[in-house]
């Protein structure tokens, strides 16, 4: 089908549900943990619950997107997300809050698995990389604005209002899906299989020698991001004593780096140097950034500015790793695009949950735990990318 010029923007707006739901409440971590139950790593546990929900939700919604088309799973998912987010705003304890976060993530997973499948329906190779870059341009605005907005709402209206704002965002997304989103999977290409056949398709995708190394490259890259998400509020707000609003601005600066890299990737790097080569260079840039960050953290040299430099390099590299890695994952999965997208997302958020919980357990308000967890994940990214078969179609 002909791609409407506004479709990448709509897909990016939908995909931003994940980062809005995570980034916006990061400045409120200390407040939420104190008010709902002052348990060590309690706020990070709620983040882990969200990651687990995203992983579980994508396992379900991926096959549904191949069976029912791209639109219906989004309608169901956005409805669940909105209702569960209201539950978060009304929660009175960490347990109930974590349960509602899990349910919101199960619904919100639809906004992550379906747009990737839509891109695969419409484009391949550099064209897909360019379309992914357009998605990331829209999606990338959320890491810039969400923490600052969260800090502002926290300051003026309290942490519960953050989730009322997210519920309104869910309603807007649901309306856009119903009114505007075309279904890019024709009925004659939809998969009509039962539970056993779905399980076989997961096995089929996982056994594709091009899939698992590429998917794990993306997943461990996400683990570096989730270590940053889980550790940075305590590092900056408690360790470096910055305000929630200033923390949001710092977070937004790193988001700018990710957006800039993703746009250079879509417009220049992927088409000029190829997807494989660009991905490999970005992986080594991430490794270098995490090595630098770990060294200064372990040696006690991690002041505010040196820490920001290391984090900027690491987060900016994701602007090339995510789109090119996703193209590599999906390049041979046209018949199973929904399943491949779901399995990739499940790996991302399962590994991300472990990364976030590790940071929560080990963090002492210094950058050490965050930096070392990011380094471990970056080493895994480098290994998986080395094992990944090259020659992405069109790349």
């Amino acid at each position: 089908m002909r791609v409407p010029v506004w479709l990448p923007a709509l897909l990016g707006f939908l995909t931003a549900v994940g980062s809005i739901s995570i980034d916006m409440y990061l400045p409120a971590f200390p407040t939420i943990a104190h008010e709902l139950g002052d348990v060590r790593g309690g706020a990070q546990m709620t983040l882990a619950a969200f990651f687990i929900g995203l992983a579980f939700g994508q396992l379900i919604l991926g096959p549904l997107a191949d069976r029912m088309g791209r639109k219906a799973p989004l309608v169901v998912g956005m409805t669940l997300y909105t209702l569960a987010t209201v539950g978060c705003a009304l929660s009175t304890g960490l347990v109930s809050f974590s349960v509602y976060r899990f349910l919101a993530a199960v619904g919100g997973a639809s906004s992550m698995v379906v747009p990737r499948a839509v891109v695969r329906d419409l484009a391949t190779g550099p064209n897909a990389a360019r379309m992914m870059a357009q998605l990331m341009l829209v999606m990338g605005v959320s890491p810039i604005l969400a923490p600052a907005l969260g800090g502002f709402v926290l300051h003026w209206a309290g942490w519960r209002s953050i989730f009322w704002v997210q519920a309104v965002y869910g309603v807007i997304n649901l309306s856009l899906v119903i009114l505007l989103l075309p279904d890019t999977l024709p009925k004659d290409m939809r998969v009509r299989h039962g539970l056993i056949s779905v399980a076989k398709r997961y096995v089929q995708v996982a056994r594709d020698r091009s899939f698992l190394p590429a998917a794990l490259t993306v997943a461990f890259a996400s683990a570096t991001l989730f270590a940053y998400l889980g550790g940075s509020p305590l590092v900056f707000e408690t360790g470096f004593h910055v305000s929630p609003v200033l923390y949001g601005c710092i977070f937004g600066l790193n988001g700018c780096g990710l957006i800039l890299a993703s746009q250079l990737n879509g417009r220049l790097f992927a088409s000029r140097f190829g997807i494989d080569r660009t991905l490999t260079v970005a992986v080594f840039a991430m490794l270098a950034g995490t090595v630098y960050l770990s060294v200064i953290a372990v040696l006690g040299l991690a002041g505010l500015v040196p820490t920001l430099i290391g984090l900027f390099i690491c987060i900016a590299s994701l602007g090339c790793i995510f789109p090119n890695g996703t193209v590599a994952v999906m390049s041979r999965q046209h018949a199973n695009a929904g399943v491949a997208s779901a399995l990739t997302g499940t790996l991302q958020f399962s590994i991300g949950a472990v990364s976030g919980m590790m940071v929560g357990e080990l963090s002492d308000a210094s950058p050490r735990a965050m930096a070392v967890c990011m380094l471990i994940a970056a080493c895994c990214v480098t290994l998986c990318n080395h094992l990944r078969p090259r020659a992405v179609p069109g790349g």
Side-chain angles (χ1 to χ4, degrees):
M1 63 173 288
R2 183 175 177 272
V3 181
V5 293
W6 46 263
L7 183 58
L10 174 58
L11 295 177
F13 195 74
L14 291 170
T15 306
V17 166
S19 57
I20 287 286
S21 301
I22 295 168
D23 301 343
M24 193 174 175
Y25 95 121
L26 292 179
F29 263 26
T31 305
I32 292 173
H34 177 72
E35 186 169 329
L36 295 184
D38 202 357
V39 179
R40 179 180 174 85
Q44 284 82 1
M45 292 298 292
T46 69
L47 184 61
F50 193 82
F51 291 157
I52 294 169
L54 287 174
F56 179 73
Q58 291 188 68
L59 279 178
I60 298 172
L61 291 162
L64 285 178
D66 288 338
R67 181 183 179 89
M68 302 173 60
R70 309 308 189 201
K71 190 166 184 172
L74 271 172
V75 172
V76 174
M78 283 295 94
T79 301
L80 176 59
Y81 169 84
T82 302
L83 294 175
T85 301
V86 171
C88 291
L90 300 175
S91 294
T92 57
L94 273 176
V95 174
S96 61
F97 182 79
S98 297
V99 170
Y100 282 122
R101 286 293 283 170
F102 172 83
L103 293 174
V106 171
S110 63
S111 70
M112 309 189 80
V113 67
V114 173
R116 282 195 298 251
V118 170
V119 171
R120 182 60 187 85
D121 291 339
L122 300 175
T124 59
N127 288 333
R130 281 190 288 272
M131 194 169 178
M132 286 296 300
Q134 290 176 291
L135 264 68
M136 291 192 71
L137 178 61
V138 179
M139 183 185 72
V141 173
S142 58
I144 296 175
L145 299 181
L149 177 60
F152 180 82
V153 173
L154 173 65
H155 179 75
W156 291 104
W159 69 266
R160 296 181 188 276
S161 297
I162 292 174
F163 294 95
W164 288 114
V165 172
Q166 291 181 8
V168 171
Y169 185 72
V171 171
I172 293 171
N173 272 311
L174 179 60
S175 303
L176 290 173
V177 169
I178 293 173
L179 297 175
L180 294 179
L181 185 71
D183 203 318
T184 57
L185 186 66
K187 291 185 178 180
D188 60 349
M189 295 184 65
R190 296 179 187 179
V191 178
R192 303 290 182 184
H193 296 309
L195 185 61
I196 295 177
S197 296
V198 168
K200 288 181 178 179
R201 290 172 62 222
Y202 272 115
V203 173
Q204 177 187 349
V205 170
R207 292 179 64 182
D208 186 323
R209 64 184 297 268
S210 71
F211 172 79
L212 199 57
L216 287 173
T217 298
V218 174
F220 281 112
S222 297
T224 64
L225 176 62
F226 295 151
Y228 163 66
L229 295 177
S232 61
L234 189 62
V235 168
F236 286 107
E237 293 187 30
T238 303
F240 291 131
H241 306 291
V242 305
S243 68
V245 174
L246 180 56
Y247 167 74
C249 295
I250 291 171
F251 200 94
L253 176 65
N254 288 324
C256 287
L258 188 148
I259 290 178
L260 177 61
S262 71
Q263 296 313 296
L264 288 173
N265 177 76
R267 296 174 183 272
L268 176 63
F269 297 154
S271 57
R272 183 170 180 177
F273 303 111
I275 290 170
D276 288 325
R277 186 182 300 176
T278 303
L279 178 55
T280 298
V281 170
V283 166
F284 280 112
M286 168 183 280
L287 181 63
T290 55
V291 168
Y292 161 79
L293 196 61
S294 297
V295 169
I296 64 171
V298 171
L299 295 180
L301 304 175
L304 179 59
V305 173
T307 300
L308 285 175
I309 292 172
L311 288 173
F312 186 86
I313 294 170
C314 297
I315 303 305
S317 69
L318 294 173
C320 293
I321 293 174
F322 283 153
N324 293 317
T326 300
V327 173
V329 167
M330 305 294 286
S331 61
R332 294 173 51 180
Q333 304 299 333
H334 182 67
N336 294 312
V339 166
S341 179
L343 190 53
T344 303
T346 298
L347 289 170
Q348 281 184 268
F349 292 102
S350 299
I351 294 172
V354 174
S355 178
M357 286 189 286
M358 284 178 59
V359 172
E361 286 297 317
L362 300 174
S363 186
D364 58 358
S366 78
R368 283 189 296 270
M370 177 182 69
V372 171
C373 288
M374 291 177 71
L375 175 59
I376 293 171
C379 290
C380 294
V381 172
T382 306
L383 176 61
C384 293
N385 183 64
H386 177 71
L387 297 174
R388 179 180 59 84
R390 298 306 194 255
V392 174

